[in-house]
Amino acid sequence: MSSPRQQTRPILRAITSSTRPLYQILRCINFSNKVHVEISEGGIRFAADNARVMQGSAVIDKTLFSSYIFQPASSSQDGESDDEQPPLPSFQINLGFLLETLQILGSMDVAKKSEPERGTILSYNRGGAAPFSDRALGLPGTCTLTYAEEGAPLSITIEEFGVKTTANLVTYLPEIPEDIPFDRGDLAFKIIMQPRSLLDALADLATMAPEKLLIEVSDTSPYLTLSTKGGDYGSSSYDFSKGRHLLETHVVHERWVQSFKYDFIKAASEAMRIGNKVSFRGDRQGVLSLQFMVEVEGAGSSFLDFKFVPFTGYDGEDEEEGDAADLYD
């Protein structure tokens, strides 16, 4: 049983003026029923896993909140030495329920303001209103996230004009999925680009109803090519030049060719809509990493990270191209 002192000092109490940024960022990893949540001094990390062939994580930085108080249980209370650091508080939660709660509570505020123009988020990198700007949000109340102690629910409270609405979401024992082995020290290439360019390419290729997405990276033109085959309507490709408007950074240590399930890459499209930049990397095993920086107006940056295992890493198929390496060779 927790001591009275622990009960009066919640592990986490974070306050923001809106649920909207939280909802928009967490929706980007909405491909798994439950997510692993880890609370730290710097913010909250949410991690989703799809059978270890696709993983996504969202780091909600503490700067997104107007107040962020993190008070983990003292190691001495658990009989540990002062030199030992206790594990960070963590749990699992149903992401669908969390998103629905944030959306419902957020709509109570949005209803009091005019809605942002249709397509605001889609036009984010084309001169439209930022999805987290005051013009798009304009929320008068506060939203408080509270995690009282281990095993307690995650409480979300909206307060406006003296009226409070609270939702308590059940938390589960943490189950940390094994990370996809992406080797940052053995990269084949690294590209930094505008996420919108990547989103436009996927949208064009989607017209072919593809099953697979082939990614080719080279140090010579066309530098980066996305192509599809195996769909209902044939094949298609999309080439990127090395112009600064498309590829800000382009470092290639060796030619890299891998095939991925198109729907997995498409699952990161929401991050492509709201991200400001994406670090597009592949290691020599064939694992793909997409890391997005998301700037929240007046509140710093948060990050979204996705990892993908190539086709031959999980279904045993031989690539017709002949040069996509098997992850498990």
Side-chain angles (χ1 to χ4, degrees), residues 253-273:
H253 301 292
E254 64 181 41
R255 183 171 178 265
W256 193 87
V257 183
Q258 292 292 345
S259 183
F260 300 87
K261 189 169 183 177
Y262 176 86
D263 286 346
F264 286 170
I265 307 297
K266 182 183 176 183
S269 59
E270 193 62 30
M272 299 175 197
R273 287 190 177 94

Side-chain angles (χ1 to χ4, degrees), residues 44 53 58 77 83 98 117 148 192 198 216-217 247-248 265 275 283 317:
I44 310 171
V53 295
Q77 292 177 346
D83 295 333
L98 175 58
E117 295 179 3
I192 296 178
L198 193 57
E216 300 181 64
V217 181
L247 306 180
E248 296 184 14
I265 307 297
D283 67 10
E317 291 188 13

